[in-house]
Amino acid sequence: MPGHPTKGPFYLMEELMLSLEKWQPWAKDKVTVEKTKAYLSIFTIFTTFSQRKFPYTIKGVSSNDDLYGRNKEYLTKCVKIINRFG
């Protein structure tokens, strides 16, 4: 998933997480199968983002692992987001 050109590589996923947190049917104290699946999917995406080389590529396109994968700030922010889950 591409990042935002001015707001960073995690902008879209962070906005998704904020939207899910605010969505009334999934209020903080309510647990549903769908909510669990959504958050596990987001967790999986961020663990993929934290790898130095992504398990997938699009030929001829610079992906976030090429652009940010060796960047300490990128990895630190990614780990910080992952730590929200546990």
Side-chain angles (χ1 to χ4, degrees), residues 24-53:
Q24 191 58 36
W26 288 1
K28 237 181 179 24
D29 58 344
K30 188 174 182 184
V31 178
T32 66
V33 172
E34 294 81 9
K35 180 179 180 180
T36 303
K37 286 181 180 181
Y39 280 106
L40 283 173
S41 295
I42 292 169
F43 178 79
T44 301
I45 289 168
F46 276 100
T47 57
T48 301
F49 285 167
S50 70
Q51 297 177 25
R52 293 208 180 265
K53 196 72 180 156

Side-chain angles (χ1 to χ4, degrees), residues 53-66:
K53 196 72 180 156
F54 290 179
Y56 51 83
T57 59
I58 299 173
K59 198 173 192 171
V61 175
S62 295
S63 59
N64 280 356
D65 59 339
D66 291 330

